[in-house]
Amino acid sequence: MTVDLAAFAKEKGVKYFMISFTDLFGYQRAKLVPAAAISDMQSEGAGFAGFATWLDMSPADSDLFAIPDASSVIQLPWKRDVAWVAADCVMDGEFVEQAPRNTLKRLDEAARTQGLRVKTGVEAEYFLTLPDGSEISDPLDTAVKPCYDQQAVMRRYDVISEICDYMLELGWGPYQNDHEDANGQFEMNWDFDDALKTADKHSFFKFMVKSVAEKHGLRATFMPKPFKHLTGNGCHCHISMWNLDGSKNVFADGSMELGLSVEGRHFLGGIMAHAEALAAITNPVVNSYKRINAPRTMSGATWSPNSITWTGNNRTHMVRVPGPGRFELRLPDGAANPYLLQAVVIAAGLNGLEEKADPGKRYDIDMYAEGHLVQEAARLPLNLLDALRAYDSDARLKSSMGDSFSASYLKLKQTEWTSYTSHLTEWEIQNTLDI
């Protein structure tokens, strides 16, 4: 049933709506609209200049309109006179194909036309730092093995509990919060859901965490590797597939290896087949490859993959199957666009189903200690440029994600890489000035 946003505002005491969309680089763009104007905005959308965001547009393009999807509306628990609502981008009366939420909705619908609902959950890790991001916010958080540190998580109780209370209020089903493997790093988990709903929640979660951190005089960052010596921010994605009414997990089969059905293996086969190209979406920034290809961190492990392998309940591989009926993709990091992450998982998985893809050999070794013995497994890209080239070479994945989306994404990301390589670094000055 369609939500009437004007009636929602009246019932909830909302004065303003934040009509929000996510651009190709994962930045959230919004306009603050008074409740008195929301009826027009619900039908016509809020106007934006697309070129002013990270979309592949020019100043000469028509107005972009963000049409709010009223089913996604969330009243801000920390500022109750404002409500956030995810929006779909439209230009000249047509959905903008390159817009991330539109891309996900198209792929989600492609799955549903095959009688399938992809359900996912994410583990969005983040650091709490000083406002300038220069160091973690807790000077006492210095343990070599800080994961699950009881004292450290309690020193940030005010921030963590406030966020968790809000998730409880929103009905997300949060079930655990912990201090993660890096000093100053945290993770908060909530229930899995349909892929689009997970993407909306993931997007809102990042907004909420940053807002609450700022309220407490801190900064939250989801940057993949903000500190050289510490474990980076992952965004592990748990994936399962169901029939349309949600009564049957299509990935579950107790008679199969690890409880993963034939369909589950084919879906996983698609993920494995497209993994190198996948990285351009799941690990979308220059800094991402400092996490994937990191040396040992202070805690002793990076907790991130560097090769394209899968396993059972073993966290040293790109994909693990921790239990029947689902698998965990450990490749994505904190910079992953919430909508494109879900979209590319569905695209690769549907390709795998169509082609009856085999995920290949299962490895049960410790990849951190014995990975060098695995000669058959390809390495993940070493940098963003390699990932973009892999994506550009993967015609099937590009087509599945949408030709318009893929062309725009590659264009802007290659421009970003060129900008990065033109930057003169301190390392270059220190090591090559006297050549």
Side-chain angles (χ1 to χ4, degrees), residues 47-355:
F48 293 79
F51 177 73
T53 74
W54 288 117
L55 291 171
D56 180 22
M57 295 179 180
S58 83
D61 280 316
S62 303
D63 284 346
L64 179 149
F65 289 94
I67 310 291
D69 181 345
S71 67
S72 69
V73 68
I74 299 175
Q75 185 175 16
L76 303 192
W78 66 95
K79 200 171 201 53
R80 297 183 187 278
D81 53 355
V82 179
W84 176 93
V85 59
D88 298 321
C89 296
V90 171
M91 181 180 285
D92 295 328
E94 301 289 338
F95 283 106
V96 177
E97 292 184 21
Q98 63 177 278
R101 196 171 191 268
N102 292 348
T103 299
L104 172 56
K105 289 179 76 173
R106 180 178 56 79
L107 283 157
D108 185 63
E109 183 58 30
R112 287 173 184 268
T113 60
Q114 298 180 39
L116 303 170
R117 284 170 67 181
V118 179
K119 291 180 174 284
T120 59
V122 293
E123 301 176 8
E125 297 170 345
Y126 62 93
F127 282 87
L128 290 175
T129 73
L130 297 180
D132 65 359
S134 62
E135 56 186 278
I136 65 170
S137 64
D138 182 359
L140 299 180
D141 192 350
T142 59
V144 172
K145 292 277 193 180
C147 204
Y148 317 123
D149 188 313
Q150 183 170 268
Q151 293 301 124
V153 77
M154 287 305 292
R155 285 196 296 273
R156 286 291 169 258
Y157 175 83
D158 288 351
V159 177
I160 302 301
S161 63
E162 183 173 344
I163 297 167
C164 190
D165 285 346
Y166 294 155
M167 288 194 286
L168 286 164
E169 179 183 329
L170 295 171
W172 289 12
Y175 54 89
Q176 60 186 14
N177 310 294
D178 65 73
H179 189 295
E180 265 298 325
D181 190 64
N183 308 102
Q185 186 185 44
F186 301 89
E187 178 181 299
M188 309 176 73
N189 304 126
W190 65 90
D191 288 346
F192 71 99
D193 208 335
D194 291 327
L196 179 61
K197 291 183 178 179
T198 290
D200 283 339
K201 290 174 184 177
H202 184 188
S203 185
F204 185 82
F205 178 76
K206 295 180 78 171
F207 170 49
M208 177 165 61
V209 169
K210 291 176 182 179
S211 298
V212 174
E214 289 172 4
K215 174 183 171 182
H216 289 268
L218 307 176
R219 183 175 190 168
T221 179
F222 295 83
M223 181 180 176
K225 185 76 169 172
F227 301 103
K228 181 178 178 180
H229 63 298
L230 299 177
T231 306
N233 282 323
C235 187
H236 306 148
C237 187
H238 293 260
I239 304 155
S240 59
M241 191 169 65
W242 300 67
N243 62 356
L244 286 181
D245 67 8
S247 62
K248 179 185 178 183
N249 182 348
V250 180
F251 278 6
D253 185 342
S255 69
M256 294 288 290
E257 176 188 9
L258 301 176
L260 192 64
S261 70
V262 171
E263 293 85 354
R265 287 180 64 87
H266 291 330
F267 197 103
L268 173 56
I271 297 290
M272 301 298 289
H274 294 292
E276 289 182 79
L278 213 70
I281 306 293
T282 58
N283 308 86
V285 297
V286 170
N287 182 255
S288 294
Y289 298 85
K290 291 179 169 60
R291 169 184 169 266
I292 289 179
N293 297 298
R296 284 169 58 111
T297 62
M298 189 172 80
S299 73
T302 64
W303 301 105
S304 61
N306 55 34
S307 299
I308 302 171
T309 57
W310 74 282
T311 186
N313 199 353
N314 178 336
R315 288 179 169 87
T316 64
H317 294 256
M318 188 187 82
V319 176
R320 71 169 178 138
V321 184
R326 66 185 172 100
F327 62 83
E328 177 191 38
L329 178 62
R330 296 180 59 80
L331 178 59
D333 62 43
N337 186 308
Y339 299 99
L340 297 182
L341 167 58
Q342 303 300 327
V344 82
V345 163
I346 295 174
L350 291 183
N351 288 347
L353 284 172
E354 182 179 340
E355 297 171 3

